[in-house]
Amino acid sequence: MTFKAVEIAKDVYWVGAIDWPLSDFHGYTTYRGSTYNAYLVVGDEVILVDTVKKHLFKEMVKRIASVIPLEKIDYVISNHAEMDHSGALVELLKYAKPKAIIASQMGAKNLKMQLHNLPEITVVKDGEEKILGGIKFKFIETRMLHWPDSMFTWLPEREILFSQDAFGMHYAVSKIFVDENDRHTVEWEMAYYYANILMPYSNLVLKLLERVEALGIKPKIIASDHGPIFRGNDVTWAIQLYRKFALQEPSKRAIIVYDTMWGSTELMAKAIADGIVSEKVEAVLLPLSKTKRSDVATEILYSGAIIVGSPTINNTLFPSLADVLTYLFGLRPQNKIGAVFGSYGWSGEATKQLVEYLEKMKIPIIGEVKCQFVPDDEKLRECFELGVKVARELKNICGEKQNG
Ligand code: FEO
């Protein structure tokens, strides 16, 4: 039979779906597809934790059916109402008649507004415990991680944490555990997901990590709703990575995000990078002709500075810059410094607009270079010096003595 369940712990099964061709998740480029993880807990009764995206309903159903008939599902827990986890719920209810659908208060409200025609939903409070099928379940609200409705489901006796989006990644894999996959890819996809989905809520992530510790929750398994599952030592690694991502501590790395019309802005970008590198600080050029907005978000998570450059076109900045800066504004990166640059023919409004974007993001600007038409050696020297200035400031912030 196709689409079998995978037992991830005794009587606990992964019954999700793999979205291999997914290339875009609400504006986020997913190079490696994704998975929507649903889990089946089989005790004296049967509990389904989350569902999948609507179009993959049949895949989930077949995996469930490889363990038990659909009509044997007694409870459905909805940890998160976003449609990649709730989309298949209405379809499921045509075949399964659970005694209760369980969600947070906000989850119940959001599910009804999104899916309509749902039966009454059983609301659980933050910290509430329930015995379902002879197994203890504890529910912990994780508001805004990722939506206001989100919650964790914790199985204390099994030491399994169902964490919905938290600790997830858009990474389609056929090997279910993190330790069966390439670690560097896992870390990159985890950072990629964090930057694009959870970065705006970094302060809440830190509070949640503290709370999980205070509650004495020490999972043996973290099973999120996307990508492979953490077990054993990888659980500690995942928590440490999340703490690192959420702290967004400045690093000696600067990204230069730019677009170019006739190559002048690009020449300036390269000269700025040379200045940065001359101070032994890493510079990463991100030309928007080939860099996706979600890549920029991930690169900024690992960087201490963002330098943005745009030519002026029709009295405004290049549309690619407006796109990426609008996106970054929503993601609210913290602890960055900034600088701007750009070339122009006769009016030169773009750099002023770049300044406005960075100011709106509360990123302090430490320098600006403008160039009319094509940069000569003197202008390129100015760009180089801007790079040096950014690099020295980064070293200063990172607590290292300047080289000269
Ligand atoms: Fe995976 Fe916020 O949904």
Side-chain angles (χ1 to χ4, degrees):
M1 192 174 82
T2 55
F3 302 131
K4 285 197 169 175
V6 181
E7 191 168 26
I8 61 165
K10 191 175 179 310
D11 300 327
V12 180
Y13 299 86
W14 174 82
V15 289
I18 308 178
D19 198 349
W20 295 100
L22 182 78
S23 59
D24 186 285
F25 187 88
H26 59 49
Y28 159 161
T29 302
T30 50
Y31 296 105
R32 293 186 175 90
S34 193
T35 71
Y36 313 110
N37 299 336
Y39 301 96
L40 203 64
V41 182
V42 182
D44 302 335
E45 295 171 298
V46 177
I47 301 97
L48 177 67
V49 181
D50 289 321
T51 69
V52 299
K53 245 187 192 175
K54 194 175 178 179
H55 77 288
L56 292 170
F57 166 73
K58 282 187 184 165
E59 185 173 331
M60 176 188 76
V61 161
K62 285 187 176 180
R63 293 192 201 277
I64 295 172
S66 73
V67 183
I68 47 112
L70 235 57
E71 56 273 19
K72 292 228 180 266
I73 294 172
D74 294 291
Y75 301 94
V76 177
I77 295 170
S78 174
N79 277 329
H80 181 20
E82 192 163 7
M83 281 78 106
D84 47 332
H85 311 298
S86 66
L89 185 55
V90 170
E91 196 66 19
L92 178 79
L93 295 178
K94 291 180 187 165
Y95 306 91
K97 301 289 171 220
K99 295 172 194 166
I101 299 168
I102 296 170
S104 68
Q105 188 173 27
M106 201 69 86
K109 203 171 142 195
N110 289 357
L111 284 170
K112 282 180 197 162
M113 286 191 287
Q114 287 181 98
L115 301 176
H116 313 292
N117 305 319
L118 283 178
E120 201 51 41
I121 294 173
T122 303
V123 168
V124 283
K125 293 197 185 100
D126 182 34
E128 189 172 332
E129 293 180 354
K130 274 189 184 297
I131 305 293
L132 307 172
I135 300 163
K136 191 190 278 185
F137 287 71
K138 187 179 178 89
F139 306 98
I140 299 147
E141 281 192 6
T142 63
R143 288 192 182 204
M144 297 317 299
L145 307 172
H146 164 227
W147 275 10
D149 55 75
S150 296
M151 66 177 191
F152 282 174
T153 294
W154 166 237
L155 271 56
E157 294 137 348
R158 308 291 180 96
E159 298 170 297
I160 298 173
L161 182 68
F162 296 113
S163 63
Q164 39 89 31
D165 281 346
F167 303 104
M169 65 201 88
H170 287 311
Y171 184 12
V173 286
S174 53
K175 293 172 181 168
I176 199 82
F177 289 103
V178 163
D179 55 51
E180 299 171 308
N181 291 281
D182 177 68
R183 183 164 291 270
H184 292 294
T185 308
V186 167
E187 181 172 343
W188 177 253
E189 289 298 344
M190 215 175 150
Y192 202 98
Y193 189 90
Y194 185 91
N196 284 277
I197 302 285
L198 296 173
M199 187 155 64
Y201 314 112
S202 290
N203 292 337
L204 293 176
V205 170
L206 290 172
K207 281 187 189 151
L208 179 64
L209 292 177
E210 272 174 30
R211 186 164 177 229
V212 163
E213 203 173 326
L215 287 170
I217 294 176
K218 289 187 180 140
K220 277 191 179 155
I221 288 179
I222 295 181
S224 86
D225 276 358
H226 296 290
I229 295 165
F230 296 90
R231 65 179 170 186
N233 291 337
D234 285 338
V235 168
T236 312
W237 178 60
I239 292 170
Q240 282 168 350
L241 274 178
Y242 252 51
R243 189 165 283 119
K244 185 177 112 179
F245 298 154
L247 284 169
Q248 294 189 56
E249 284 178 345
S251 66
K252 287 190 292 173
R253 187 171 189 270
I255 55 170
I256 303 172
V257 183
Y258 70 96
D259 215 328
T260 197
M261 272 173 82
W262 294 104
S264 292
T265 307
E266 187 157 76
L267 281 173
M268 297 171 81
K270 286 182 168 179
I272 293 167
D274 271 2
I276 294 168
V277 173
S278 74
E279 288 290 316
K280 299 188 169 38
V281 168
E282 186 183 0
V284 181
L285 265 74
L286 299 172
L288 292 181
S289 54
K290 67 163 200 168
T291 311
K292 303 287 186 188
R293 66 173 85 89
S294 40
D295 291 320
V296 177
T298 313
E299 293 288 353
I300 203 173
L301 181 68
Y302 281 119
S303 303
I306 174 167
I307 305 169
V308 284
S310 173
T312 295
I313 179 168
N314 299 327
N315 305 103
T316 190
L317 77 173
F318 233 52
S320 54
L321 266 299
D323 176 313
V324 84
L325 289 170
T326 302
Y327 187 68
L328 289 181
F329 171 70
L331 293 175
R332 304 201 284 273
Q334 293 167 21
N335 303 327
K336 314 297 171 197
I337 58 170
V340 306
F341 65 101
S343 63
Y344 64 99
W346 47 94
S347 56
E349 290 89 345
T351 43
K352 183 170 174 282
Q353 291 168 1
L354 292 174
V355 166
E356 286 165 2
Y357 269 105
L358 293 191
E359 282 177 349
K360 230 169 72 168
M361 291 162 71
K362 299 188 172 54
I363 293 178
I365 296 161
I366 65 161
E368 175 181 343
V369 180
K370 272 176 89 167
C371 170
Q372 191 162 16
F373 287 110
V374 179
D376 57 12
D377 284 349
E378 193 184 329
K379 191 54 78 175
L380 291 175
R381 167 57 55 181
E382 215 183 307
C383 292
F384 182 91
E385 290 306 329
L386 177 62
V388 169
K389 191 174 175 190
V390 169
R392 287 183 180 173
E393 186 59 27
L394 273 183
K395 289 198 285 192
N396 200 21
I397 291 167
C398 297
E400 185 186 304
K401 281 186 183 170
Q402 294 178 14
N403 290 332

